Amino acid sequence: VLSFETYTYKQTGNQLKKTTYNNYGFPYKEEISYLDSAGFVINKESKLKMTSEKTTTYYGYNANGWISKITVENESNPTFNSEVFFKYDTFGNLIEKQVYENGKHITEIQLIYNTKDGLISSILIRDVKTSLINILRFEEIKFK
């Protein structure tokens, strides 16, 4: 084993605090998740102890309770933010993911499911700037 991490969790009211320790047992990152009354994470603040770098992640949900949007803001670099939008089919399978950085559309990901067994058959990843598409195709999936 080259390195490993351990975690501790502490919940107080609607806050869940997670402390991450390195393989020497020293805490190096703290995350505080804020939950709504249904237990969904509304936002999460992450802070690195050595550099005090802080990022805040906001979560949005659709009517089914599935994540529809994730927004990340970096306090030490306020000019950077990222947003990811998610779409699902009627069965709740993820079918599309749109990635934006600083308001600019960067990547589009589409997942295609096999109609016979419901497993993912292909993943298409398109770089919006170049229109280059990578296709991952899954064939002959075997279970043992």
Side-chain angles (χ1 to χ4, degrees):
V1 175
L2 298 176
S3 68
F4 62 91
E5 297 177 336
T6 56
Y7 311 97
T8 59
Y9 296 88
K10 181 179 180 183
Q11 185 157 2
T12 308
N14 70 335
Q15 296 180 9
L16 178 63
K17 181 179 178 182
K18 174 184 171 185
T19 305
T20 305
Y21 300 85
N22 64 17
N23 53 323
Y24 298 108
F26 295 113
Y28 74 90
K29 183 166 83 171
E30 287 185 346
E31 293 178 345
I32 299 176
S33 298
Y34 297 90
L35 313 173
D36 66 9
S37 59
F40 289 104
V41 177
I42 301 167
N43 70 314
K44 177 174 62 177
E45 296 175 353
S46 179
K47 182 178 176 185
L48 294 174
K49 287 188 164 269
M50 295 295 283
T51 63
S52 297
E53 180 177 320
K54 183 178 174 183
T55 58
T56 304
T57 306
Y58 300 93
Y59 299 91
Y61 301 89
N62 66 18
N64 295 321
W66 305 328
I67 291 180
S68 60
K69 178 181 177 182
I70 297 175
T71 303
V72 178
E73 296 175 355
N74 189 326
E75 194 174 278
S76 54
N77 184 1
T79 60
F80 174 82
N81 71 43
S82 69
E83 292 180 301
V84 181
F85 298 90
F86 303 90
K87 285 188 183 177
Y88 303 87
D89 65 13
T90 55
F91 302 108
N93 297 313
L94 179 66
I95 58 170
E96 188 175 294
K97 181 177 170 182
Q98 303 289 341
V99 180
Y100 291 78
E101 289 182 2
N102 299 324
K104 191 173 184 182
H105 195 193
I106 302 296
T107 307
E108 176 181 1
I109 300 171
Q110 293 185 6
L111 292 89
I112 300 171
Y113 296 86
N114 184 323
T115 55
K116 294 177 186 174
D117 56 22
L119 297 175
I120 295 175
S121 61
S122 299
I123 300 175
L124 288 75
I125 305 166
R126 180 173 76 95
D127 181 312
V128 175
K129 183 177 181 181
T130 64
S131 291
L132 177 68
I133 299 175
N134 289 312
I135 301 172
L136 300 171
R137 184 161 286 146
F138 304 101
E139 297 176 357
E140 297 186 40
I141 298 173
K142 298 178 183 178
F143 297 96
K144 293 185 179 187

